[in-house]
Amino acid sequence: MFGSFFNTAEVDKYADWIVSEVKRYLPPGFDLSTRNMAERAEHLNERIAKRTFEFTQKCRLNIYKKAHLAARVREGMSANGYPESYVKSFSFDLLTRIQVASNQRTG
């Protein structure tokens, strides 16, 4: 009955992808004032936006999965040494993106 409600395998893969992309494009201690980092941040933003839309089109996210996703991203980023204020801001932005993309769901 609740088997798929708590199944977070796809959510975990997506969260791990996000953390790895953030780490790759914006390593801990990055400085956005440099031109290269600003471009990398914009590219990361575009990649996450595209992947978030695709992910929400194929996976229905209930409240448990959304909370699990945000928590896993927060934990992953914190473990990699990102500042807590950045981690919180990033996870809130991610949840907003997911909600907007879910509302645009076509299927």
Side-chain angles (χ1 to χ4, degrees), residues 17-66:
W17 176 83
I18 289 173
V19 172
S20 69
E21 289 295 293
V22 170
K23 187 177 175 184
R24 184 169 71 144
Y25 283 96
L26 301 174
F30 66 90
D31 181 10
L32 280 178
S33 65
T34 61
R35 181 174 170 253
N36 187 30
M37 277 297 151
E39 289 173 3
R40 292 176 78 171
E42 183 59 33
H43 187 66
L44 174 65
N45 184 42
E46 291 168 4
R47 287 181 55 85
I48 290 176
K50 180 181 178 198
R51 184 85 181 256
T52 298
F53 181 77
E54 292 168 355
F55 181 73
T56 57
Q57 296 305 299
K58 73 173 191 164
C59 296
R60 282 199 185 270
L61 297 178
N62 57 46
I63 189 130
Y64 174 77
K65 290 179 182 179
K66 288 176 186 174

